[in-house]
Amino acid sequence: QVQLVESGGGLVQAGGSLRLSCAASGSIANINAMAWYRQAPGKEREFVAAISWGGTRTDYADSVKGRFTISIENAYARFAVYLQMNSLEPEDTAVYYCASGPSFTQPSDYWGQGTQVTVSP
């Protein structure tokens, strides 16, 4: 089992920035990739970004390319993934979920509880 706990959400004006964090614990050895997803009201959950455990491979949804950056920390007994979000738009308003999985193409076996991001016009 992997436990994921997100933090860093909040209310920000359009054009602003937020940094989300997700701390991982438990069966860390089973993790080979981590990712962020989001779900806006009335919409399905969608992929935002993914990163390999070593940090050498990343992928982004077209809607966030150039504005969001995913990074990972996995050394000295600290395991976490981050999402730096810049130039935020009202359309980025959603609950953001952290996920982990056994491969880069399957980064979502385990999920966090989510953190709310609200971008005002």
Side-chain angles (χ1 to χ4, degrees):
Q1 293 282 336
V2 174
Q3 292 78 45
L4 303 170
V5 179
E6 302 101 332
S7 61
L11 173 64
V12 64
Q13 288 187 329
S17 299
L18 279 175
R19 186 182 190 230
L20 304 183
S21 301
C22 172
S25 61
S27 300
I28 301 297
N30 296 330
I31 299 176
N32 284 300
M34 297 188 74
W36 288 95
Y37 292 77
R38 66 186 182 186
Q39 186 167 19
K43 295 187 177 181
E44 294 186 354
R45 189 173 299 187
E46 65 175 1
F47 169 80
V48 175
I51 188 166
S52 59
W53 189 241
T56 57
R57 186 178 178 186
T58 59
D59 190 24
Y60 295 91
D62 288 343
S63 59
V64 307
K65 281 181 181 176
R67 300 188 298 123
F68 291 10
T69 302
I70 189 170
S71 60
I72 195 164
E73 180 179 15
N74 56 7
Y76 303 107
R78 175 166 176 81
F79 308 101
V81 64
Y82 305 96
L83 187 67
Q84 178 66 43
M85 305 186 294
N86 299 328
S87 302
L88 283 162
E89 304 167 351
E91 293 74 22
D92 295 317
T93 295
V95 177
Y96 283 71
Y97 296 91
C98 172
S100 69
S103 70
F104 190 77
T105 55
Q106 189 184 336
S108 56
D109 275 5
Y110 294 96
W111 295 87
Q113 82 288 354
T115 185
Q116 176 71 46
V117 172
T118 302
V119 184
S120 62

